[in-house]
Amino acid sequence: MKILIIGATSGIAKECARIWAARSTSASPNSLVLVARNAESLATTSADLRVRNKTAEVLTYASSLTETEEISRLESQLRAGGPYDVVLIAQGELSQQSEAQSSVSALHQSLTINATSVAVFAELGARLLEPQGKGTLAIFGSVAGDRTRRSNYSYGAAKAFLASYVNGMRHRFAGTKVNVVIIKPGPTATPMTTALATSGRLAPASAVAADIVEGIAKGKRQIYTPGIWAIIMLVVRLIPGFIFNKLDF
Amino acid sequence: METAPHNVVSAGTLQTFARDASFNLPPLPTETWLPRGLGSSYGDVCLNPSGKLVSSLSLNNFLAFDHETGVLQVEAGVTLGEIQRVFAPQGWMLAVTPGTQFVTIGGAIGNDVHGKNHHARGTFGDNTLSITLVRSNGEVLNCSRSQNAELFSATIGGLGLTGFITSATIQLQSVAGAYLDTENLVFQDSGEFLSLSDDSEPDWQYIVSWIDCTSKHGRGIFMRGNNSAESKVPQTKVGGPTVPFKPPVSLINKASVFAFNQAYFNLNRAKAGTTVTHYQPFFYPLDSVQRWNLAYGPKGFFQYQMVIPREGGREALDEILTQIRKSGQGSFLAVLKTFGSDAGPGLLSFARPGITLALDFTNRGEVSEALFKRLDSVVLEAGGTLNPSKDARMSRQMFEVGFPNFAEFEKHRDPLISSSMSRRLMGW
């Protein structure tokens, strides 16, 4: 299998890469193409995967993920390295809602990385998969996008935009063997959420990643992980607004 | 131990860690910090309720591995379980592992943990070749037996008090696969246990015994194992039961302990003999019951692990078992083994030549403490000491007698690091 991961050093994506690397064998090696912003973290992740399984092939590209010219150059490099079985788009950062409300640059940056950059790379992934006629394009949304709330709606709304974007892409690829997947993790223990880590209610990133890898293999279109969040968010979405707006969470 | 809220911050990445080594402490710090791994230690060595805990769990990368020599370089938050899982299929395993795999590399070094093969391979620190240590003044130091050697020996078993271990280079051992050839034998008293130990040490790498501390003479099950030449890995059962919530009172009481010990002894007596076992149940029997510690209820439990010299050790061991039986405060998990001749690589290493016994006791407040005091005096009399990594209550005097290198160790402490244990036993 050849797997392209954008935002590959993010906590959950890295755990997914570890699972795919672990499944590599010399008879059928897995090839991982990793793209991320920080070159140092990318080198660390790449070394980690190679130690875990020497049969796994790892190729890395450092990229800002937001500069348009750089993305175009990257696209031609990635196209030359294809075809891909899976394209996973994972970049994101958990911005502070209070900063998003008070700072033009904080909100702008948050929406750029969490919404614009992901959509741009989703289209890039679609352009890679379309001529192949098959493959999985998986995009990280979040349960936070299912119903936005006061404590993190700048992040949640970006994720809601992605869910909507994916709906359109799925319509576009209907009837083909290109599967477009939206991944909706619940709160997960990753570097992004260390500040929340004391609550102890965060799912381990390795377990979330295992759900994602399995969901992709099974051809799911929507992956809630841990699975209980499908039920929780169904309930949350059904709460009438006049009640919802009185809740504090 | 009861729980208390803690302020946990992440160590971030190797690249950012040294730059941020002040951990956002105020300019004139009034607040201390303490390195933290998985927090599996039983006592207060991993607690610092008045300051910060700096978590190593974000440092979870493998850095390099030499397939020829088995030398592995890892970040400090990598767990022992992860190493076993990744490397057993590649023909390598940890040279030394404690009885749980839910331990980080940093924690294993900081507590200089030991395993069932102390007589063959020494402690975890003996198989640690080098470490990278970040001090709170921002210094990043490579420490080994040839570089910053004193700080290296202070940090092995240094209870996290000398700085933050960010990465380590360790020696793995070559194995055919993930299996062990094991044999279980029954012993009827401590004398039989000791002669079985002496007879087994030359030929068996792993030796551990479970002892029925409710029995009159200290009967038990002697378990020994060697890495198996068997390398075929059939499907093994992963995961086991979980204690779903903390019960309002301890489920571990006199009746359940007695019943368990009877059943465990008879079950194992019935299946004594040789077998091929996967490393998981052999090394990590309790890990199959997730969150087993919750069964002790809201007040938790104490573990009491002592080491006593072989000379006069049998008499002391019998006296300890008698005291426990008379108190009626038995233990499910009474683990008995002998340590080899290795005196310990660290200034505060616990494992040393002698006999070691570890027991869990439900926390019954003063009743428990009264028993521990009686056990303390037997241990001290015998020239023994307690394991700080599992302790929450020994006296400062007992610590100083058991760890005579403490004054030397103190020179290497990091002035901004402090734990509940260091304040209790070291005065800072």
Side-chain angles (χ1 to χ4, degrees), chain B residues 161-363:
Chain B
L161 300 169
T162 61
F164 192 108
I165 301 171
T166 52
S167 68
T169 306
I170 62 172
Q171 177 68 56
L172 301 186
Q173 67 167 325
S174 169
V175 295
Y179 287 81
L180 297 125
D181 296 316
T182 63
E183 181 172 22
N184 285 9
L185 304 161
V186 171
F187 61 87
Q188 294 299 339
D189 61 35
S190 56
E192 222 176 292
F193 158 76
L194 288 171
S195 51
L196 271 174
S197 291
D198 290 342
D199 293 347
S200 303
E201 283 186 3
D203 300 323
W204 296 86
Q205 193 178 178
Y206 306 100
I207 301 175
V208 68
S209 296
W210 168 84
I211 186 167
D212 176 358
C213 62
T214 63
S215 71
K216 193 153 189 181
H217 300 289
R219 65 179 183 178
I221 309 292
F222 188 92
M223 296 166 245
R224 56 192 185 184
N226 278 323
N227 292 105
S228 178
E230 186 78 49
S231 64
K232 221 174 107 241
V233 186
Q235 206 62 34
T236 52
K237 184 172 165 274
V238 181
T242 299
V243 177
F245 58 90
K246 198 184 280 185
V249 295
S250 175
L251 303 176
I252 317 297
N253 54 43
K254 195 172 173 177
S256 69
V257 166
F258 184 77
F260 174 86
N261 279 277
Q262 288 289 323
Y264 191 86
F265 181 81
N266 288 310
L267 197 69
N268 280 283
R269 180 166 57 185
K271 61 177 191 189
T274 58
T275 176
V276 178
T277 312
H278 190 262
Y279 76 81
Q280 293 255 16
F282 185 76
F283 286 148
Y284 313 118
L286 264 184
D287 287 355
S288 64
V289 186
Q290 298 266 322
R291 308 202 293 170
W292 56 269
N293 49 311
L294 294 188
Y296 283 92
K299 287 190 190 303
F301 70 101
F302 287 100
Q303 180 162 101
Y304 192 91
Q305 182 176 14
M306 71 201 78
V307 59
I308 45 180
R310 269 305 277 275
E311 190 139 334
R314 184 184 170 187
E315 292 70 25
L317 180 60
D318 286 344
E319 175 60 19
I320 284 161
L321 292 170
T322 305
Q323 291 284 355
I324 293 168
R325 191 164 42 82
K326 279 191 348 206
S327 77
Q329 301 181 59
S331 170
F332 278 147
L333 192 79
V335 177
L336 182 63
K337 69 175 270 82
T338 53
F339 285 139
S341 57
D342 176 39
L347 291 175
L348 299 186
S349 286
F350 162 73
R352 60 194 75 182
I355 306 165
T356 182
L357 174 66
L359 308 122
D360 293 350
F361 295 98
T362 299
N363 179 8

Side-chain angles (χ1 to χ4, degrees), chain A residues 105-128:
Chain A
S105 66
L107 178 57
H108 195 275
Q109 192 196 326
S110 164
L111 292 175
T112 302
I113 195 69
N114 289 325
T116 311
S117 171
V118 179
V120 164
F121 274 92
E123 283 299 352
L124 189 157
R127 285 194 294 277
L128 292 175

Side-chain angles (χ1 to χ4, degrees), chain A residues 14-15 18 40-41 44-45 47-54 191 194-195 197-198, chain B residues 6 8-10 13 15 19 60-65 67 72 75 82 86-87 90:
Chain A
K14 186 164 145 181
E15 292 295 337
R18 285 173 172 173
E40 281 178 333
S41 301
T44 305
T45 300
D48 175 71
L49 296 173
R50 284 177 222 262
V51 169
R52 283 167 190 271
N53 191 335
K54 62 182 171 185
T194 307
T198 45
Chain B
H6 275 75
V8 184
V9 297
S10 172
T13 69
Q15 289 79 25
R19 290 200 288 277
N60 63 10
N61 293 292
F62 291 109
L63 298 172
F65 182 62
H67 290 272
L72 173 67
E75 291 183 348
E82 186 83 344
V86 168
F87 287 96
Q90 303 188 38

Side-chain angles (χ1 to χ4, degrees), chain A residues 72-113:
Chain A
S72 298
R73 277 200 305 278
L74 181 63
E75 181 171 357
S76 45
Q77 289 173 300
L78 294 176
R79 185 179 305 283
Y84 299 96
D85 299 282
V86 177
V87 178
L88 180 65
I89 320 280
Q91 67 268 38
E93 55 192 37
L94 190 58
S95 44
Q96 289 287 332
Q97 179 60 33
S98 56
E99 278 185 36
Q101 286 167 216
S102 60
S103 155
V104 171
S105 66
L107 178 57
H108 195 275
Q109 192 196 326
S110 164
L111 292 175
T112 302
I113 195 69

